[in-house]
Structure formats: structure tokens, C-alpha cells
Amino acid sequence: MMQGVERRRRVTVRTPERAGEYEIEVEAGALARVGERVRAVVGPYSRRAVVISNERVWGLYGARLSESLRLGGFEVYRWLMGEGERHKTLRTAERALEFLCEARFERSDVIIGFGGGVVGDLAGFVAALYLRGLAFVQVPTTLLAQIDASVGGKTGVNMRAGKNLVGAFYQPRAVIIDPETLRTLPQRELTAGWCEAIKHGAVGDRRLFDATRALLMSGEPLGETELLADLIAAHCAFKANIVAGDEREEMTRTDHLSRRILNFGHTIGHALEAATDYRRFRHGEAVGYGMLAAGEISARLGLLDRGELDELRAAIKLAGRLPRAKDLDFERILQALRLDKKSFGGSIKWVLLERIGRARIVDGQEVDRSLLEAALQAALK
Ligand code: NAD
């Protein structure tokens, strides 16, 4: 079923920043080995580990993680933040930093980000700032964080004017992924993660697309422990490879391997989120619709074969049920797209598909209003 995807469980990420590399490790049951792994990357003199997490994740897995860290010889501290995007703020980061200062954490200590992308982004940001950079390890626990947010070194917080506007590129010393933690993830979070997984395959790797779809078709992707671990590792390798060419997101490349291709489905996805005041969709769900619309545009421009569009549609359906969207007001979506356009210096760059596995970046003017309307109508029904 997983033909073509290597049985790779360790993904090495090269980073120009520390002129070195770090490893992403994926293994069912890895939580029990976090202490040992963290010890291996921070060395024998590190005394204290602070886990940044939230109540939910800590309540589910905190005992297991701290036991493992204690076995690794660490004194364990925890700092819990509120749940959800609205807590990914400078104020939360400041409170975490005050905690670290008051507890007198030292240069040799280590910060562990333990949760979804919200926790990971915030914990990484705090790690980048405290004492101008403390060792940081990611232990992501959502599908989206395991295949996407924990790879690439982007950390940060939201501002009133927009998401992720303030942050730092800061690479972790290690990323440790235990796919078993996904068993407690709500279905909508899984759906959002699977949409992003489908996106990876669609823009850059046909075999990854096929492998993701095959696992979803099994009907119980989380039950296929080994295949799931393989697949997560393959997604990490895919993302690491893309970001390696453009680590600081300078977007100097415009070819099919530009980091920009990861924005497939995001132009319309963001507009759908904005048009519903960020209340209706999980980000990945909106990206699901965004991919459908971008696929429609690709087909209507004659870039993408209809058969491949059908495959994309079928894969997104397998990801799970998306919240209803057919009632959305087209004008509001357009308005949100125009706002998006402003923030990108006046020109939308569309990420479209030539085929599954290969994206193409197209200038905004090639997509006119009537094309957009038709594509949205087809995608949101
Ligand atoms: P999230 O962090 O909000 O987690 C989703 C929900 O799942 C939360 O309620 C969380 O408490 C809960 N949860 C986490 N793990 C769980 C588990 N194992 N069992 C049960 N519940 C669990 O959402 P997310 O989708 O993981 O991350 C979204 C964030 O990631 C956004 O802030 C986005 O900006 C960021 N992001 C960052 C990057 C990057 O490159 N740094 C990339 C993509 C997204």
C-alpha cells in the first residue's frame, strides 16, 4: 500500500544557522524515550527541562513525558498556556519568559514544546528569546504539527493586525514525534492535518500523495501504526527538503520547488477564514476548500487534467467532512481576497497545479473575477 515511500524514520534536517543539523524522529511510543533523546542532544550538564504545553495535552500525556524526562536525568518544570490560537500572543510569551527568569533557568537548560502548532510556535519563540536562545526540542502532538509546523524553524506569535506577524527563525535541537498521541485528537483536527498532508503530495510529490491517500483509504489510518509513522516521516522529509532551499522564506525562487508552493490552497483558504471571522473553519479545513478552488482554476486555465482534479477532490473527501461552505457570500470572499492582495504588495501569486505532484506559480492577473467565481462555485458546493 505504501509503495514508493521509503521506510525512513529519522529525517536529518540541515540548518545553515547552527552550521549543523538536527534530527526528526518518528516512532510509535516515542514519548517514553524523550528524556533519553533530549539528554543525547543537550549533553550531560543540562540540569533542568521546562515543558511548555497546555492543560489538555499535559493532562493527557504530561505524566508520561515528565517520567521520561526524569529518567533522562532532568529536573522537570512545566508551564501551561491557554488553549487555542488566541493565546499565541506576545503577552503569553512574556508570561512564560517571566517564569523562566524567576525560576532562574540557565544557558544549559532546555525548553520542550509539547502540543500542537500553537504551543510549538510559542515555545520556540520563547526559546529563541530567553538568554538569546536556549536549547529547544519539539514534541508535536497534532497531525498538523507533526507533518508541518514542527519542521522549518518558524516560531512566532499573532498580533492584532494578523497571524504570525512577529517571530523568529529558530531551529530546534531535535523533533520527537510519537504518532500514538494522535489517537486522542478530535476528528476535525485530524481532518485539518490530512488536508495539509494532501497538499504536500499535490504540490510536490506524487508518491507522497498516493501514499497519503492509500492510508486514508484504509479507513483507519491511526490504526496502521507502522505505515502512519512512515508516512509522517515522509511528510517531514518533504517539508524539510522544500524549506532547505529557502530557509528564511525570502521567496527568491519562483520555480516548482519554491517554498511558495506550500501556499497551495492558502490564498482562498485565508479568504474563507477571514470571510467567516475565523470562526467556522480550522485552518486546514479552509485550505481543503482552497485547494479545491485552486484545482478548479488550474483545470479551467487548461493547466490541470480534469481526471487529476477528480483525484484531488476524492483525496480531500477522504480527509474528512469539511464544514459547510455553500452559503458563503461571494462578495465577502472577494473582499477578503483583495485585503490579502494588499498585504502581498498588490499582486496575488496563485499556486496552481500542472499535475498532482507538480505546482506552478502564476501571476494574479491571469485569474479574473469570472474565473474565480466559477471556481469558487464549483469548489464550495
Ligand atoms: P493547535 O495547536 O491549536 O491544536 C489543536 C487542538 O488540539 C488544541 O485544542 C490542542 O489543545 C489539541 N491537542 C493537541 N494535541 C492533542 C492530542 N494529542 N490529543 C488531543 N488534543 C490535542 O492547532 P494546530 O493545528 O496543531 O496548529 C496550528 C498552529 O500552527 C497555528 O498557530 C499556525 O500558525 C501554526 N503553524 C505553524 C507552522 C510553522 O511552520 N511554524 C506551520 C503551520 C502552522
Side-chain angles (χ1 to χ4, degrees):
M1 199 160 59
M2 292 269 300
Q3 273 168 0
V5 171
E6 284 179 58
R7 289 189 58 82
R8 177 170 29 185
R9 294 294 185 76
R10 284 186 179 216
V11 179
T12 302
V13 185
R14 295 197 163 72
T15 78
E17 258 160 46
R18 218 180 290 115
E21 54 186 44
Y22 66 90
E23 278 191 344
I24 301 172
E25 301 180 23
V26 189
E27 192 182 1
L31 272 192
R33 280 176 291 286
V34 169
E36 179 190 312
R37 296 303 306 137
V38 176
R39 177 58 69 199
V41 293
V42 298
Y45 303 114
S46 181
R47 200 164 58 86
R48 299 197 286 182
V50 58
V51 181
I52 296 185
S53 187
N54 68 19
E55 294 275 358
R56 183 186 305 272
V57 175
W58 185 263
L60 287 163
Y61 303 108
R64 240 189 283 169
L65 182 73
S66 21
E67 176 60 15
S68 160
L69 285 166
R70 270 192 287 276
L71 285 173
F74 292 97
E75 211 178 300
V76 183
Y77 292 70
R78 63 160 191 202
W79 192 85
L80 303 185
M81 62 181 284
E83 189 174 31
E85 199 64 51
R86 70 196 168 88
H87 291 283
K88 204 176 95 176
T89 59
L90 272 179
R91 179 167 301 202
T92 306
E94 185 184 1
R95 289 195 354 255
L97 287 165
E98 290 290 5
F99 169 80
L100 296 173
C101 293
E102 275 158 30
R104 301 204 179 283
F105 270 80
E106 294 168 8
R107 285 221 123 263
S108 54
D109 295 329
V110 56
I111 294 180
I112 313 227
F114 185 42
V118 165
V119 164
D121 279 9
L122 185 113
F125 183 59
V126 166
L129 293 181
Y130 185 66
L131 300 181
R132 298 187 186 80
L134 217 61
F136 175 50
V137 172
Q138 290 259 33
V139 184
T141 62
T142 63
L143 182 58
L144 181 118
Q146 294 186 352
I147 63 160
D148 183 355
S150 66
V151 188
K154 280 208 273 177
T155 75
V157 294
N158 302 326
M159 302 298 284
R160 231 170 277 148
K163 279 168 71 177
N164 299 320
L165 288 180
V166 169
F169 285 96
Y170 192 66
Q171 302 293 344
R173 297 286 178 90
V175 180
I176 301 160
I177 297 176
D178 185 346
E180 301 216 316
T181 57
L182 301 182
R183 288 175 187 267
T184 50
L185 203 60
Q187 180 55 46
R188 285 190 67 182
E189 302 297 340
L190 282 170
T191 300
W194 287 122
C195 283
E196 297 278 3
I198 288 162
K199 180 198 76 180
H200 282 171
V203 296
D205 188 336
R206 174 83 213 200
R207 290 188 309 173
L208 191 55
F209 180 89
D210 289 346
T212 306
R213 180 176 56 181
L215 194 62
L216 284 168
M217 280 169 83
S218 75
E220 235 192 287
L222 302 187
E224 303 273 1
T225 319
E226 296 302 307
L227 293 179
L228 177 64
D230 285 343
L231 189 73
I232 290 171
H235 277 283
C236 291
F238 174 80
K239 177 146 186 218
N241 196 28
I242 295 282
V243 300
D246 191 5
E247 196 189 17
R248 290 187 162 267
E249 225 172 44
E250 281 149 351
M251 304 286 193
T252 42
R253 299 178 72 138
T254 52
D255 62 2
H256 67 281
L257 286 176
S258 152
R259 191 167 180 158
R260 239 188 252 274
I261 65 171
L262 298 175
N263 289 338
F264 178 56
H266 281 62
T267 304
I268 288 173
H270 282 148
L272 293 179
E273 286 182 278
T276 51
D277 300 319
Y278 295 89
R279 291 211 183 100
R280 190 181 297 187
F281 301 103
R282 295 291 299 141
H283 173 68
E285 294 171 333
V287 167
Y289 279 120
M291 290 193 287
L292 288 173
E296 279 289 342
I297 293 172
S298 311
R300 284 161 198 259
L301 284 175
L303 289 173
L304 179 71
D305 186 83
R306 278 269 157 200
E308 300 234 333
L309 176 58
D310 290 343
E311 279 190 70
L312 178 68
R313 193 177 296 121
I316 293 169
K317 206 163 177 193
L318 286 169
R321 186 190 289 274
L322 301 178
R324 121 197 96 83
K326 60 177 174 225
D327 60 320
L328 293 183
D329 178 20
F330 180 66
E331 289 306 323
R332 265 203 89 181
I333 301 172
L334 266 194
Q335 199 189 347
L337 271 172
R338 272 195 289 271
L339 288 179
D340 208 28
K341 187 171 160 180
K342 228 194 268 166
S343 62
F344 287 105
S347 83
I348 296 181
K349 293 266 184 232
W350 287 95
V351 182
L352 302 180
L353 292 187
E354 286 179 7
R355 58 174 189 266
I356 287 175
R358 191 170 173 109
R360 184 195 291 188
I361 294 165
V362 166
D363 264 342
Q365 59 265 30
E366 298 205 23
V367 181
D368 62 21
R369 188 191 155 105
S370 64
L371 172 56
L372 194 55
E373 190 161 0
L376 274 169
Q377 241 160 30
L380 302 184
K381 67 181 182 214

